[in-house]
Amino acid sequence: MKEHKIGIIMNGVTGRMGTNQHLMRSIVEIIKQGGVKLGPGETIIPDPILVGRDRNKLEKLCQLSGIQRMTTDVDEALADPNNSIYFDAQTTGRRAEGVRKAVKAGKHIYCEKPTAVSAEVALELYTLCQEAGLKNGVVQDKLWLPGLLKLKRLIQNDFFGKILSVQGEFGYWVFEGHSIPAQRPSWNYRKEDDGGIIVDMLCHWRYVLDNIFGKVKSVSCLGATHIPQRIDEQGRPYSCTADDAAYATFELENGVIAHFNSSWTVRVRRDDLLTLQVDGTKGSAVAGLRECYTQHYGNTPKPVWNPDIPQTIPFFDGWSKVPEQEIYDNAFKAQWELFLKHVVNDEPFPWDLREGAKGVQLAEKGLESWAKRCWVDIPEL
């Protein structure tokens, strides 16, 4: 058995996403399964070192995960030649500094999105990696969600015919903290701490649209701060200076129109926290995080507008659930395995830091559209 032991510096792993999705549900699970198989008798074994500013949190995380290596000194981790990958899940404002230091230390880069606070800086990080000959990637997890994979298969099989439009509904009610504790960190609602749902979610919608439906050509976006005050982690009230909802329309180069409502101030009466409805000339589909329902042209009802009588058509009955035709792993874990194969075996990995910069760019253009109250074109990076 040939083993490739890969040291991974996991910086910012004590945060919600770093702990749950990247450490416990990805790296720890990859270790438990015996690594990532490259072929008969050949595997990649992750060897993570947990990095953070709070030693107590790191020690608890080591106990929880079974990982033994930890440090509060990122420079110490970067100096170790056995660590070949630097992963960053810190808050957005800290990311560029961490990545720059890691590039200087000769580490391959994998990081969360947004990759930087501006498209200019995000593109700089990509350029630094390219000039140093380092492999690099950005987390684009929603591409491996079962619901979106099912949508992609439908497109590949020409289920929709010509796709006309995509409607995305994302969000849920985030409690303000006055009586029920908030389920998201307070920095999300402060612009000065790089918060805001436009910055957070338009990065996602860029890679979802670009990779599944078509390249984004232009955007019209309206943001809002619906809740003016919330309670922070110390029980203190604070003013919300960042947007908590965004209503964005995207024009794609192939003529498809996409509209996404993103909100932390909405109550859910739909199949999931994220749903995508795709309408085409031959059929339609609605996908959530895991499930997908379709309605073919031949099963499409013919309603007639008459508000004076009760609706006679049971609309939900005309949709069919897409069966489970594949085995789906955790979306974050699936991309981690691909990146590890990219580093060790040079397998293709198109989701690099340039793709991450595109997401930051769309968020910037969304904010520009909101400020100018107009459509904004998306130029090539």
Side-chain angles (χ1 to χ4, degrees):
M1 175 71 73
K2 182 179 181 181
E3 287 188 357
H4 303 271
K5 192 174 183 180
I6 302 296
I8 305 173
I9 301 165
M10 302 190 74
N11 195 5
V13 76
T14 55
R16 178 177 58 93
M17 291 290 290
T19 294
N20 296 330
Q21 295 292 4
H22 292 288
L23 179 61
M24 299 306 299
R25 297 172 193 169
S26 295
I27 296 301
V28 170
E29 288 301 314
I30 290 172
I31 294 171
K32 284 182 180 179
Q33 74 184 19
V36 180
K37 291 185 179 180
L38 290 177
E42 188 174 6
T43 59
I44 304 169
I45 305 295
D47 180 26
I49 177 170
L50 310 186
V51 180
R53 290 170 289 164
D54 190 320
R55 178 168 290 275
N56 290 330
K57 287 183 178 180
L58 288 172
E59 289 175 349
K60 290 178 181 177
L61 202 52
C62 284
Q63 293 173 3
L64 178 67
S65 65
I67 303 301
Q68 296 183 354
R69 297 202 301 153
M70 57 159 276
T71 182
T72 56
D73 186 352
V74 68
D75 292 327
E76 175 189 318
L78 289 170
D80 187 343
N82 293 314
N83 297 326
S84 56
I85 295 174
Y86 173 81
F87 171 69
D88 195 298
Q90 300 182 95
T91 56
T92 308
R94 298 176 181 272
R95 189 155 298 135
E97 179 187 0
V99 170
R100 288 189 189 107
K101 291 174 72 172
V103 169
K104 191 173 182 180
K107 312 300 181 183
H108 302 298
I109 305 297
Y110 188 50
C111 65
E112 261 292 354
K113 75 234 143 276
T115 54
V117 296
S118 72
E120 180 182 5
V121 173
L123 196 57
E124 174 210 335
L125 299 181
Y126 168 73
T127 303
L128 288 173
C129 289
Q130 292 300 103
E131 291 175 347
L134 298 170
K135 292 182 169 67
N136 56 94
V138 61
V139 178
Q140 301 198 329
D141 53 284
K142 288 178 174 53
L143 296 177
W144 289 271
L145 288 172
L148 271 67
L149 285 173
K150 291 171 185 176
L151 273 182
K152 192 172 182 178
R153 300 293 180 259
L154 290 170
I155 294 171
Q156 290 171 340
N157 291 307
D158 196 31
F159 171 83
F160 297 102
K162 176 179 170 54
I163 295 178
L164 307 173
S165 64
V166 180
Q167 300 171 57
E169 292 285 344
F170 166 80
Y172 46 93
W173 189 268
V174 176
F175 286 93
E176 303 92 324
H178 295 94
S179 56
I180 299 174
Q183 65 270 45
R184 291 189 67 89
S186 59
W187 70 263
N188 285 167
Y189 305 95
R190 292 190 293 265
K191 195 71 176 176
E192 58 271 27
D193 293 330
D194 306 309
I197 201 165
I198 292 176
V199 170
D200 189 350
M201 296 312 301
L202 264 65
C203 293
H204 285 285
W205 307 150
R206 178 68 186 266
Y207 70 73
V208 167
L209 292 170
D210 277 3
N211 284 273
I212 301 178
F213 301 107
K215 190 175 178 181
V216 179
K217 177 183 176 182
S218 57
V219 60
S220 172
C221 182
L222 176 67
T225 305
H226 290 306
I227 305 295
Q229 186 187 77
R230 293 178 180 269
I231 305 299
D232 68 14
E233 290 78 1
Q234 287 73 43
R236 299 173 301 201
Y238 67 95
S239 297
C240 300
T241 53
D243 41 287
D244 55 23
Y247 310 92
T249 304
F250 309 98
E251 182 184 12
L252 310 188
E253 286 190 346
N254 55 13
V256 174
I257 304 300
H259 181 83
F260 280 71
N261 292 326
S262 310
S263 178
W264 290 318
T265 59
V266 64
R267 294 177 179 87
V268 180
R269 194 176 190 272
R270 54 184 188 271
D271 290 334
D272 216 326
L273 300 184
L274 168 65
T275 57
L276 295 180
Q277 177 160 337
V278 183
D279 290 303
T281 54
K282 292 183 180 179
S284 298
V286 177
L289 302 180
R290 302 196 65 82
E291 306 298 346
C292 182
Y293 295 85
T294 62
Q295 185 173 87
H296 192 265
Y297 190 94
N299 294 337
T300 303
K302 187 180 180 182
V304 177
W305 177 261
N306 188 349
D308 298 322
I309 61 172
Q311 181 55 249
T312 59
I313 300 174
F315 288 108
F316 285 98
D317 294 350
W319 294 77
S320 301
K321 185 177 178 180
V322 175
E324 302 298 309
Q325 299 168 320
E326 302 175 66
I327 296 173
Y328 304 102
D329 209 342
N330 176 279
F332 291 85
K333 177 173 176 279
Q335 195 180 4
W336 261 108
E337 292 189 352
L338 291 173
F339 186 71
L340 290 172
K341 289 180 180 180
H342 177 56
V343 169
V344 173
N345 225 26
D346 203 28
E347 294 191 13
F349 193 86
W351 311 281
D352 57 21
L353 287 181
R354 183 172 181 270
E355 294 301 300
K358 289 180 181 179
V360 179
Q361 178 197 40
L362 185 60
E364 282 187 345
K365 295 302 181 182
L367 290 167
E368 180 183 338
S369 170
W370 178 17
K372 294 180 177 178
R373 303 182 71 84
C374 69
W375 278 91
V376 174
D377 291 335
I378 311 298
E380 287 286 343
L381 278 177

